Amino acid sequence: MTISGIVRFVAQHATRSNKLKLFFTLLALLTYKYRSHAIGTRRRPDLKEPKGTVPFFGHMILMASMPSTDLYDYFERTYRELGPVWSISLPGIGRMIQGDTPEMLEHVLKTNFWAYHKGPHFTGSMGDAFGKGILSADGESWKFQRKLATHLFNVNAFREYTSEVFNKEAQKVLDYLSKAADSGSVVDFHAIMHAFTLDVFGSVSFGESFGCLENIDGSVPFADAVGDLLGICSLRLVDPLWKVREAVTSVGKKARELKFVMRERIRTIVERRRREGLGDKKDILQLLLEATDDDGNPLTEEYLVDIILTFTIAGRDTMAQSVAWMMFSMLRNETDPSVMEKLVREVDEVLGGSLPTYETHKKQKYAEACFFETLRMYPPLPRNFKTCVQDDILPDGTKIYAGEMFTWSSYVMGRSEQLWGPDVKEFKPDRWLGREKASSLSKFSSFHLGPRTCVGQGFAVLEALTIVGLVLQNFELKLVEPGKVPEYGLGTTLAMRYGLPVRVTHRVRGDASATAVEA
Ligand code: HEM
């Protein structure tokens, strides 16, 4: 009998004298029904589950009591204990089936792509940040935006333009580091990269930066609003009662204010461009203003703002954090110093003291390998999920019903000995050299797989190689705490909670070994 059936039965048969008895009977029945899983979810005795489930609440108490900074390590431990396929259930969110194998990812993200959507849990939680932008879109709206984005990233003029922007914004980073080197002060490389990637995106989107690099130690309202709103939205993903919580606290009001700040900034820029005319600019805004929907109508103002904001968010934290983790990975005590030595030598040989270009990037094979090795160990999106919209069977025979979620972790898979071999814990860029393209490896999902693979992947690699190349060409960096892994931040991306403090000194070019040895 279903819950509503039981409740109907009790309501029909309740009299003044038996009310209490029926209530306890109902409670006992429900407790029995939901003894091992969350209310509103299907019982799945066929699936392995981690210990800690409570009647009605499933794994909610376990998850809520876990510091979010430990979440990914918990997933890794669970993978080792239970294997790659296991499940949890959460009231108000649903059942999540974790499947950390390349075959599972191939199936869900490629072969049966159509059966898995972003789903209401994602769009509801992240809607304030992404609106109807590509990251929360499904179906026709996704197809339309994907076509636009693919076109944009493949236009040669756009590629050349982005190379110029990278160099221009990177110069501001170099100026900042130069002052730090002169004064001997410690700087937060993680914060610098957040300022860099947001300014890059402003310039690439509409030809003007957000001014973050001029204000690294201060505050930029747009940048603060992006960071704070993403923080609020990420919390919603793990809190089934977020609507109530936000209604009774000041968080709901705060979210609305932050959303307003973000959207107003973009709206002002769009209005100004419309007033000034399009000209022959090569930025994202130009493409969007020229684009029409399937009926030949220009995109509405709201849709345009959604698309730009989504792109900005997609390209900021992921980029900033991956470059910060790359620097950490190369400078930490555990990494063989020859890694940095080789990288600096390549930078010197390829760039020879000049600015990177689209062509020089193609020769930075070792730098690219270092970047991919970083993304293996520290994927900016460590965990992801899709909602199943049509009953399906996963490659190992596990059933997944419509409404249940398929979850996977690039973090766990990137650290799996079965998938990467016994040296999985070592930072070894060489494992990427002479290999097939990273995007064809299903065990590497840091850029996603299949039709929804990160559309900005090429852009991301160029941006990373530019900034890392220019920084290492000019400076030696040393971690303040080379023996300690930075604590993970809260949120959906793999931030460093307390940043990445580094000391900077000017580099005498041609001295590649000094960087590695001293680091
Ligand atoms: C190291 C940096 C980056 C990583 C690791 C990364 C990773 C990802 C991942 C995992 C997804 C799939 C998200 C999902 O659907 O659940 C994605 C999608 C996307 N990324 Fe990136 N990304 C990076 C940089 C960028 C940059 C710089 C841009 C923009 C220039 C960008 C634009 C996008 C867009 C537009 C999508 C949506 C694609 C779609 O749904 O079809 N990303 N990215």
Side-chain angles (χ1 to χ4, degrees):
M1 195 185 252
T2 60
I3 307 184
S4 51
I6 298 174
V7 174
R8 240 192 339 266
F9 176 84
V10 170
Q12 278 163 5
H13 294 81
T15 61
R16 200 177 275 185
S17 57
N18 72 0
K19 224 166 30 185
L20 214 59
K21 241 194 239 161
L22 275 173
F23 171 75
F24 282 112
T25 314
L26 171 66
L27 194 68
L29 277 173
L30 286 176
T31 310
Y32 180 73
K33 182 172 166 67
Y34 291 106
R35 62 193 176 283
S36 60
H37 58 113
I39 191 149
T41 62
R42 188 188 284 259
R43 195 166 100 84
R44 294 293 304 266
D46 54 322
L47 293 173
K48 288 184 198 160
E49 291 193 346
K51 287 193 193 94
T53 176
V54 170
F56 297 116
F57 294 99
H59 293 87
M60 189 174 117
I61 294 165
L62 175 82
M63 289 292 149
S65 61
M66 185 176 321
S68 15
T69 46
D70 286 352
L71 195 65
Y72 308 120
D73 293 326
Y74 169 78
F75 277 90
E76 205 193 338
R77 283 197 303 278
T78 311
Y79 173 88
R80 280 200 300 270
E81 277 164 30
L82 301 182
V85 186
W86 51 275
S87 172
I88 57 171
S89 62
L90 299 169
I93 292 181
R95 175 163 295 281
M96 297 180 147
I97 301 178
Q98 186 84 11
D100 288 324
T101 70
E103 296 75 24
M104 292 267 191
L105 292 199
E106 285 267 339
H107 178 87
V108 171
L109 305 182
K110 289 185 176 174
T111 323
N112 276 16
F113 169 72
W114 48 269
Y116 297 86
H117 282 189
K118 286 284 176 165
H121 180 50
F122 183 85
T123 47
S125 307
M126 303 304 287
D128 280 339
F130 298 141
K132 293 188 168 49
I134 187 168
L135 276 171
S136 52
D138 281 308
E140 291 308 312
S141 170
W142 169 74
K143 268 193 207 151
F144 173 74
Q145 294 185 55
R146 180 82 196 185
K147 216 163 87 188
L148 262 183
T150 311
H151 169 67
L152 175 74
F153 285 107
N154 285 321
V155 171
N156 273 339
F158 180 72
R159 284 189 185 153
E160 281 161 23
Y161 173 62
T162 51
S163 272
E164 282 167 31
V165 169
F166 294 156
N167 286 334
K168 189 181 88 194
E169 298 299 333
Q171 189 53 51
K172 297 183 198 164
V173 173
L174 301 185
D175 293 345
Y176 183 83
L177 292 179
S178 183
K179 284 190 197 127
D182 293 342
S183 65
S185 50
V186 169
V187 293
D188 178 358
F189 192 74
H190 183 259
I192 301 171
M193 286 304 101
H194 275 81
F196 171 69
T197 54
L198 193 55
D199 277 357
V200 160
F201 227 81
S203 294
V204 163
S205 301
F206 22 72
E208 60 183 89
S209 89
F210 290 105
C212 304
L213 284 168
E214 284 81 7
N215 216 343
I216 293 176
D217 304 311
S219 135
V220 173
F222 178 80
D224 296 346
V226 171
D228 293 349
L229 187 60
L230 278 179
I232 291 177
C233 293
S234 308
L235 262 183
R236 293 174 181 172
L237 284 172
V238 289
D239 177 6
L241 299 177
W242 68 266
K243 283 192 182 150
V244 182
R245 179 174 49 79
E246 291 190 10
V248 298
T249 62
S250 57
V251 179
K253 185 164 170 265
K254 177 100 184 137
R256 285 191 294 281
E257 285 166 4
L258 296 169
K259 186 176 163 185
F260 181 78
V261 172
M262 276 167 54
R263 300 186 75 85
E264 267 312 287
R265 180 75 208 265
I266 306 294
R267 268 195 212 109
T268 316
I269 295 169
V270 175
E271 275 165 22
R272 193 183 326 131
R273 177 68 67 86
R274 282 201 207 274
R275 269 200 318 274
E276 289 169 0
L278 293 184
D280 64 345
K281 299 208 168 56
K282 304 172 193 91
D283 53 29
I284 294 180
L285 184 54
Q286 169 93 4
L287 176 94
L288 294 176
L289 287 171
E290 284 169 355
T292 52
D293 64 18
D294 291 339
D295 300 325
N297 301 315
L299 309 186
T300 64
E301 191 92 342
E302 285 306 291
Y303 197 23
L304 222 137
V305 174
D306 283 348
I307 296 180
I308 295 186
L309 273 178
T310 302
F311 264 67
T312 310
I313 295 171
R316 180 184 92 141
D317 291 4
T318 47
M319 267 321 300
Q321 291 157 20
S322 52
V323 177
W325 283 113
M326 178 168 168
M327 211 45 101
F328 163 76
S329 303
M330 292 183 312
L331 294 174
R332 67 187 296 205
N333 284 346
E334 279 81 355
T335 302
D336 189 328
S338 68
V339 170
M340 182 58 107
E341 210 173 294
K342 276 193 214 165
L343 180 60
V344 173
R345 195 171 302 126
E346 182 187 81
V347 166
D348 286 350
E349 277 167 17
V350 175
L351 299 184
S354 51
L355 289 177
T357 62
Y358 189 63
E359 292 311 310
T360 56
H361 289 125
K362 291 184 197 154
K363 297 184 194 149
Q364 286 184 269
K365 293 289 172 221
Y366 195 69
E368 192 175 282
C370 291
F371 187 53
F372 277 101
E373 183 65 346
T374 305
L375 294 175
R376 173 183 73 79
M377 296 184 84
Y378 299 101
L381 267 180
R383 187 168 175 247
N384 208 335
F385 67 88
K386 288 269 191 308
T387 301
C388 175
V389 293
Q390 196 170 318
D391 294 358
D392 192 18
I393 298 178
L394 297 169
D396 69 336
T398 301
K399 286 195 180 106
I400 177 161
Y401 298 99
E404 293 181 335
M405 280 170 253
F406 176 81
T407 58
W408 72 98
S409 169
S410 307
Y411 181 93
V412 170
M413 286 178 69
R415 288 157 185 253
S416 155
E417 203 172 314
Q418 284 106 300
L419 298 177
W420 296 92
D423 58 357
V424 70
K425 289 211 156 54
E426 289 170 49
F427 185 80
K428 272 192 167 173
D430 287 33
R431 74 175 90 234
W432 294 97
L433 294 174
R435 280 267 188 112
E436 71 249 69
K437 282 183 83 169
S439 52
S440 61
L441 285 180
S442 304
K443 64 181 177 182
F444 176 73
S445 59
S446 301
F447 280 115
H448 210 77
L449 303 178
R452 288 196 88 136
T453 294
C454 174
V455 76
Q457 180 172 340
F459 180 103
V461 174
L462 288 198
E463 189 175 353
L465 264 49
T466 302
I467 189 65
V468 169
L470 285 173
V471 167
L472 296 181
Q473 194 178 40
N474 292 283
F475 302 100
E476 280 171 32
L477 267 52
K478 278 190 209 166
L479 298 177
V480 171
E481 293 186 285
K484 193 173 155 220
V485 179
E487 193 173 307
Y488 299 149
L490 314 170
T492 42
T493 54
L494 201 63
M496 296 175 174
R497 191 171 190 184
Y498 302 109
L500 186 67
V502 296
R503 281 182 212 286
V504 192
T505 48
H506 292 282
R507 202 188 131 216
V508 183
R509 207 160 293 141
D511 190 11
S513 60
T515 308
V517 173
E518 287 181 29

